[in-house]
Amino acid sequence: MIDLMVRHGSVGAARRAGRVLGLVAAAALALTVVLLSPFALEELSDSKGVDWDRLGQVGAAYGFTSAIVSALALAGVAVSLGVQNRQARADQVQGIRSYYLELVRLELDDMALFQPVWGDTDIVDPHERKRHVYADLMMNYAWMGFEIGTIRESLLRDMLAGMFTGEAGRRYWIRAHASWIASSSGSRVGRRFLAVVGEEHARAAASGPPTRSPIASRPPAVPAVGTSPAWRASVGVLAGLGAGLALGSLLRSRR
């Protein structure tokens, strides 16, 4: 799923860059044709000298075409600036998300220490807490991709359908949907994102009960090399004490 998202975003960015470059190249070609048109007219008229009055009259006939070409060139520049502005904003968002990811990694490393900083929670089970934090990371990734256009709506729906199949994903959205509405409903893209998430959550809930999350079991502790259980140490001490007493009694009898 993640590989598909990455490839989809890369293809979309390449297509947008190709369209911008094609528009700029077309504008440059049209401008070159307009600049060379007087010399082409001279060759077509089979004249040796240059009658600039005549060429000026002919050029005036191309004034409307020249205006269109200039407008296309300005439009190309405007589109290029818009793409650059959008890319710069995406970079800023990516920087904020990266900083947020570092904070979440610290929290996941020691939930008992860092989780209370975010506020009280009703999630008691530590494994469920980690699933909640991971689901929040997935939702933020989906929101960022949808906002900048690298994740289309069809791909977003497919991602959410898989997420809301399980119990952890549904519980996450029940707990977090109010904060998402408060933070993302201020823009048209944000409202559409919330609508898609709500629709997919409702569709998953109507399809039946969720898949229960398995209880993660911790592996048994492996004693370190050179250590032994307490009862083995006690038996060793008693055996050594008995051997010492027997040896001392033998030596005294020989004396």
Side-chain angles (χ1 to χ4, degrees), residues 58-134:
V58 175
Y62 286 93
F64 181 73
T65 304
S66 178
I68 293 177
V69 172
S70 299
L72 290 176
L74 291 176
V77 173
V79 170
S80 178
L81 292 176
V83 171
Q84 292 179 3
N85 185 26
R86 190 174 183 180
Q87 183 62 38
R89 185 174 183 275
D91 293 339
Q92 293 176 352
V93 173
Q94 180 63 30
I96 296 175
R97 301 291 182 181
S98 299
Y99 189 74
Y100 170 75
L101 179 59
E102 292 298 326
L103 295 177
V104 174
R105 283 178 178 174
L106 290 175
E107 182 184 4
L108 288 174
D109 291 338
D110 195 340
M111 293 287 292
L113 179 62
F114 294 110
Q115 195 277 328
V117 178
W118 295 90
D120 296 332
T121 178
D122 58 347
I123 306 175
V124 180
D125 182 59
H127 298 294
E128 190 175 352
R129 289 183 184 179
K130 289 188 176 183
R131 291 191 181 107
H132 180 85
V133 174
Y134 183 75

Side-chain angles (χ1 to χ4, degrees), residues 28-40:
L29 179 62
L31 184 61
T32 302
V33 171
V34 171
L35 292 176
L36 295 179
S37 59
F39 303 99

Side-chain angles (χ1 to χ4, degrees), residues 223-224 226-236:
T227 61
S228 59
W231 67 271
R232 291 184 180 180
S234 300
V235 171

Side-chain angles (χ1 to χ4, degrees), residues 62-245:
Y62 286 93
F64 181 73
T65 304
S66 178
I68 293 177
V69 172
S70 299
L72 290 176
L74 291 176
V77 173
V79 170
S80 178
L81 292 176
V83 171
Q84 292 179 3
N85 185 26
R86 190 174 183 180
Q87 183 62 38
R89 185 174 183 275
D91 293 339
Q92 293 176 352
V93 173
Q94 180 63 30
I96 296 175
R97 301 291 182 181
S98 299
Y99 189 74
Y100 170 75
L101 179 59
E102 292 298 326
L103 295 177
V104 174
R105 283 178 178 174
L106 290 175
E107 182 184 4
L108 288 174
D109 291 338
D110 195 340
M111 293 287 292
L113 179 62
F114 294 110
Q115 195 277 328
V117 178
W118 295 90
D120 296 332
T121 178
D122 58 347
I123 306 175
V124 180
D125 182 59
H127 298 294
E128 190 175 352
R129 289 183 184 179
K130 289 188 176 183
R131 291 191 181 107
H132 180 85
V133 174
Y134 183 75
D136 188 65
L137 288 177
M138 289 184 60
M139 192 64 71
N140 275 278
Y141 170 76
W143 159 240
M144 184 180 67
F146 186 78
E147 185 182 19
I148 64 178
T150 57
I151 296 181
R152 302 295 182 182
E153 184 173 324
S154 58
L155 183 59
L156 175 64
R157 289 184 179 275
D158 182 69
M159 175 182 175
L160 294 172
M163 181 177 178
F164 291 144
T165 301
E167 184 180 25
R170 295 190 190 182
R171 285 183 176 180
Y172 165 77
W173 186 245
I174 291 174
R175 293 189 179 101
H177 76 279
S179 61
W180 274 98
I181 293 175
S183 62
S184 304
S185 60
S187 63
R188 181 182 61 83
V189 179
R191 289 189 293 270
R192 183 56 188 167
F193 175 80
L194 294 174
V196 171
V197 178
E199 291 172 4
E200 292 301 322
H201 184 268
R203 183 179 291 109
S207 64
T211 303
R212 295 186 62 85
S213 302
I215 300 176
S217 59
R218 295 182 179 179
V222 179
V225 178
T227 61
S228 59
W231 67 271
R232 291 184 180 180
S234 300
V235 171
V237 171
L238 292 176
L241 181 60
L245 292 175

Side-chain angles (χ1 to χ4, degrees), residues 2-67:
I2 295 178
D3 294 338
L4 178 60
M5 295 176 186
V6 174
R7 290 197 299 269
H8 186 83
S10 300
V11 171
R15 289 179 178 176
R16 289 192 297 273
R19 287 196 295 267
V20 172
L21 291 177
L23 182 60
V24 173
L29 179 62
L31 184 61
T32 302
V33 171
V34 171
L35 292 176
L36 295 179
S37 59
F39 303 99
L41 291 174
E42 180 185 1
E43 294 295 333
L44 291 176
S45 62
D46 293 331
S47 60
K48 300 299 181 179
V50 178
D51 188 356
W52 290 107
D53 293 336
R54 180 183 177 186
L55 291 178
Q57 294 175 358
V58 175
Y62 286 93
F64 181 73
T65 304
S66 178

